[in-house]
Amino acid sequence: MNLRNTIVFILIIALIGAVAYSAVYGIDSGKIKIPTAREKIGLGLDLAGGVYVLLEAQTDETGPELDKKIDQAIAIIRQRVDGLGVSEPNIVKEGSKRIRIELAGLKDTQQAFDMIGKTAQLQFVDPEGNIVVTGKNVKNSEVAFQKGSTGVEEPVVSLEFDKEGAKSFAEATSRLSAKADAKDKVIFIVLDDKVISNPVVRTTINDGKAYIEGGFDVQSASELATLIRAGALPVELKEVQTRVIGPTLGLESLDRSIYAGAIGLAIIFLFMLIMYRIPGLIADIALTVYVLLVLGIMIALGVKLTLPGIAGLILSIGMAVDANVVIYERIKEELRAGKTLRASIDSGFKRALSSVLDANITTLIAGLVLYYFGSGPIKGFGVTLIIGIVASMITAVFITKSLLKLFVGTNLAKNTKLYGA
């Protein structure tokens, strides 16, 4: 027995077991608290319930102008939805002129409809609460660049007011710039009763053109400029489809899916163990790593779990098992041909690699197509399928091979019959 390899193998198994335990049951030992994977993964609309709204822009515009208005409308709607306290709302552009809004877990649906549809109120307010200008006075707001204190060009937000706004802004900046205390020089920019910026007035601005500085990067400056332009929705949006989904059926489906998945995995583990013995045991360990890897990627990317997503996950588990079966059948052929155990493993993986890659890449292409062209549940299926296929290739090609060679290196079992010969 090779003691070093045996210890390393046991430590790896113990680590995988500990991570699997924490993913299923969580850890709560006073100072250390790790939630379960189910608690960490956000549930999609079909599992958590909520509101689904599809809006379509009523305009004949196309190209960059339409894109700009749709992006601006999405920014405004997101700002409003944030006020509802919805966790991780899904607001995305669909096609060229539609916006899909998914508010999982929302109970007050009428409040959502009212918030999404209302006209935004943009105001510039002085420290005394007086309204200086409103959104109707803003002619333009966009990202510009100015030399900062270090001499490097830095992004700022440029503002331009109409004639009426320029006059009011000149009066206000003249009054505020004369104040001694910096907190009395602030102009609060308020959108839908929420302060989105609070620049300090340094001098009187008479020409109706101002710049907001404040350590922006290009993205944050662009977001603020978009919100300031949002005096109202930039284009009329018509409600094309609305659905209110109850969570009861979805949660029952989730529980049954998890139960069915656990039974399915147990049967797969048993099958691999009986058919391939020690390689089957390694495959079971690799499949455990695979499931943990998929769940970890979904949590890290903030992917919401939906019923079609569960279907994609189960399908990718089947792909992972299939890859192991192809590899082990090649190893058995090499053993029966009289090769040594180590040579059979190397040759088996090498011969199976092209078949495994071909099968996974074709499925990956299908997943990418579903993700790119699909929407809603179809896109959710595509996302989990893509994540599952990538994790499947990693576990089948790298982890399974490394664990199997490590186990062989322990010299705990040398009989080739234990490897399926």
Side-chain angles (χ1 to χ4, degrees):
M1 182 180 74
N2 185 312
L3 185 60
R4 179 180 172 278
N5 285 349
T6 303
I7 292 174
V8 171
F9 184 79
I10 291 173
L11 287 175
I12 290 174
I13 300 304
L15 178 63
I16 294 171
V19 175
Y21 178 86
S22 66
V24 175
Y25 298 105
I27 294 176
D28 189 358
S29 60
K31 294 181 179 178
I32 301 175
K33 187 173 183 178
I34 300 175
T36 64
R38 182 176 173 177
E39 292 171 341
K40 291 282 288 182
I41 293 179
L43 299 181
L45 204 61
D46 52 357
L47 294 175
V51 180
Y52 169 91
V53 183
L54 185 63
L55 304 173
E56 184 175 83
Q58 302 301 295
T59 176
D60 295 328
E61 290 180 305
T62 57
E65 282 301 315
L66 177 61
D67 290 342
K68 186 178 179 181
K69 289 187 175 180
I70 292 293
D71 291 343
Q72 190 174 340
I74 289 175
I76 298 167
I77 293 172
R78 188 177 299 281
Q79 177 81 3
R80 297 173 180 179
V81 169
D82 286 345
L84 295 172
V86 178
S87 176
E88 299 180 15
N90 187 26
I91 306 170
V92 295
K93 184 178 176 182
E94 188 167 295
S96 61
K97 58 194 304 186
R98 288 186 171 183
I99 299 174
R100 176 164 50 88
I101 305 166
E102 295 178 354
L103 308 176
L106 187 70
K107 295 179 181 177
D108 192 344
T109 54
Q110 188 56 50
Q111 183 189 5
F113 295 145
D114 292 343
M115 285 290 286
I116 291 169
K118 78 174 186 179
T119 301
Q121 293 294 323
L122 178 73
Q123 297 173 330
F124 289 61
V125 184
D126 69 14
E128 297 174 353
N130 300 313
I131 297 173
V132 178
V133 292
T134 66
K136 71 175 185 178
N137 301 120
V138 179
K139 285 179 63 177
N140 194 20
S141 172
E142 59 187 9
V143 179
F145 290 88
Q146 280 189 343
K147 281 190 177 180
S149 56
T150 59
V152 178
E153 294 276 342
E154 296 176 350
V156 297
V157 177
S158 71
L159 296 172
E160 184 178 357
F161 299 103
D162 61 11
K163 189 175 179 181
E164 179 188 352
K167 184 179 178 182
S168 300
F169 203 68
E171 187 279 324
T173 52
S174 173
R175 177 167 45 84
L176 296 179
S177 62
K179 302 280 187 182
D181 197 336
K183 68 180 182 183
D184 295 327
K185 297 184 175 184
V186 175
I187 287 185
F188 299 95
I189 304 176
V190 182
L191 180 65
D192 287 341
D193 300 323
K194 184 178 179 181
V195 176
I196 58 173
S197 182
N198 51 353
V200 175
V201 178
R202 294 179 179 172
T203 185
T204 303
I205 299 172
N206 292 312
D207 60 357
K209 294 181 180 178
Y211 294 93
I212 303 175
E213 303 169 346
F216 294 109
D217 55 23
V218 174
Q219 183 178 352
S220 59
S222 177
E223 288 174 354
L224 179 59
T226 299
L227 290 174
I228 291 176
R229 286 197 302 269
L233 286 173
V235 61
E236 183 185 353
L237 295 172
K238 181 182 178 183
E239 184 181 312
V240 177
Q241 187 179 8
T242 302
R243 281 186 290 158
V244 180
I245 302 168
T248 307
L249 179 62
L251 290 177
E252 286 179 0
S253 301
L254 176 62
D255 291 337
R256 289 185 181 184
S257 299
I258 292 175
Y259 184 65
I263 292 176
L265 273 177
I267 294 173
I268 290 171
F269 283 6
L270 191 61
F271 173 81
M272 295 299 289
L273 205 55
I274 293 172
M275 286 296 296
Y276 299 103
R277 301 179 180 91
I278 288 176
L281 173 66
I282 300 299
D284 292 348
I285 297 169
L287 280 174
T288 304
V289 174
Y290 161 81
V291 174
L292 294 173
L293 199 58
V294 169
L295 294 177
I297 293 173
M298 290 179 70
I299 292 171
L301 296 180
V303 176
K304 289 184 180 294
L305 190 62
T306 62
L307 286 175
I310 293 174
L313 188 59
I314 292 173
L315 177 60
S316 63
I317 290 174
M319 296 290 292
V321 176
D322 184 59
N324 281 297
V325 169
V326 171
I327 292 168
Y328 292 159
E329 286 299 323
R330 295 288 183 274
I331 292 176
K332 284 168 69 173
E333 290 174 3
E334 298 297 327
L335 286 171
R336 288 167 186 160
K339 289 187 177 180
T340 65
L341 191 54
R342 292 176 186 276
S344 297
I345 292 172
D346 287 334
S347 182
F349 271 94
K350 189 176 180 181
R351 286 180 57 201
L353 184 61
S354 60
S355 300
V356 171
L357 289 179
D358 288 348
N360 281 279
I361 287 173
T362 51
T363 310
L364 182 63
I365 292 171
L368 290 170
V369 171
L370 290 174
Y371 175 76
Y372 186 78
F373 292 103
S375 64
I378 302 299
K379 181 166 282 191
F381 178 82
V383 169
T384 50
L385 186 60
I386 291 169
I387 294 173
I389 293 299
V390 172
S392 166
M393 285 194 282
I394 292 172
T395 52
V397 176
F398 299 106
I399 296 179
T400 303
K401 184 178 181 181
S402 300
L403 283 176
L404 189 56
K405 292 183 77 171
L406 181 63
F407 183 84
V408 171
T410 63
N411 295 326
L412 290 173
K414 298 181 180 178
N415 190 337
T416 55
K417 289 186 177 179
L418 293 174
Y419 294 85

